[in-house]
Amino acid sequence: MSLTKLLVPTYTQMLGALSSWLKKAQEQMPEADAEALLSARLAPGMFPLSTQVRFACVQAQEGIFRLQGKPFPKTVDELLAEGRNADEKPGSIADSQARIDETLALLDDLAPDALDEEADKPIEHKLPNGMILDLTAEQYARDWSLAQFYFHIMTAYSILRSEKVALGKADYVAHMFPYIRPETLPKG
């Protein structure tokens, strides 16, 4: 499987799911309560929902630009700053939706083989704490980018669930519905 065929649909499906979860929160709660969710967190010391949304977008954007050998657009730094400062400025659900939409547009604009140059191409990934990871493109995609992306997506889902937004497994795997054999659907 190519890295493009692995990453782009995954990022697209799960960012779409994240967007739908935020919409459900808005539908299920008074506006002020829904907006307050952006400051909710699972535990002290963890980043709030607003950060989880932005960092999921960062992982997708960093992944596609790093694997193409391109410099990061300014949106990556903006997302990181917004995420790191979410305690003081969580933004709004509309802001979060806009960040998801921007990331989805970047994904949608990619060529079908945009990330497929060389799976064994070396990737030097510098972490904010100064550590450097030496990976191949395939290792970066599999072991870093997808893992970090899903961490932030799942944390966002868990925050919303813990704050009583009515979400279930079907909301998490909505992208799987087209694969269901119609004759196996529950009756009634």
Side-chain angles (χ1 to χ4, degrees):
M1 175 175 281
S2 78
L3 294 181
T4 306
K5 287 180 182 174
L6 173 66
L7 294 176
V8 174
T10 300
Y11 294 150
T12 301
Q13 291 164 355
M14 296 312 297
L15 287 170
L18 178 56
S19 176
S20 72
W21 306 338
L22 294 173
K23 287 176 190 164
K24 280 193 168 198
Q26 287 179 301
E27 293 166 359
Q28 295 173 18
M29 304 176 127
E31 183 179 352
D33 293 346
E35 294 294 334
L37 291 171
L38 294 167
S39 295
R41 62 187 79 230
L42 289 177
M46 280 189 85
F47 283 120
L49 176 61
S50 179
T51 302
Q52 303 304 331
V53 171
R54 277 143 182 88
F55 284 5
C57 292
V58 164
Q59 290 305 318
Q61 289 191 28
E62 278 191 3
I64 63 174
F65 287 101
R66 189 180 306 277
L67 289 168
Q68 293 178 88
K70 294 181 177 179
F72 297 152
K74 66 179 178 126
T75 54
V76 171
D77 287 335
E78 290 169 0
L79 285 164
L80 286 168
E82 288 173 9
R84 290 177 182 137
N85 296 313
D87 282 332
E88 296 84 37
K89 295 180 183 179
S92 66
I93 290 179
D95 296 331
S96 293
Q97 292 287 21
R99 290 312 202 173
I100 293 169
D101 290 345
E102 290 167 4
T103 305
L104 288 170
L106 286 170
L107 294 166
D108 192 47
D109 286 344
L110 288 175
D113 61 349
L115 312 178
D116 300 335
E117 279 188 30
E118 304 170 57
D120 59 350
K121 173 177 75 172
I123 300 278
E124 178 183 282
H125 182 50
K126 295 178 186 177
L127 301 177
N129 64 7
M131 291 190 306
I132 298 173
L133 303 173
D134 290 315
L135 307 160
T136 65
E138 181 180 310
Q139 290 166 332
Y140 170 80
R142 180 191 64 224
D143 300 334
W144 180 265
S145 188
L146 277 178
Q148 294 296 313
F149 177 75
Y150 271 113
F151 173 84
H152 295 294
I153 291 288
M154 192 62 220
T155 302
Y157 177 87
S158 298
I159 290 170
L160 290 167
R161 285 287 309 262
S162 74
E163 294 294 321
K164 311 294 187 256
V165 176
L167 296 173
K169 184 72 174 238
D171 296 294
Y172 191 80
V173 296
H175 61 279
M176 296 302 296
F177 292 155
Y179 302 113
I180 297 174
R181 290 184 188 171
E183 68 273 12
T184 66
L185 286 169
K187 307 236 186 309

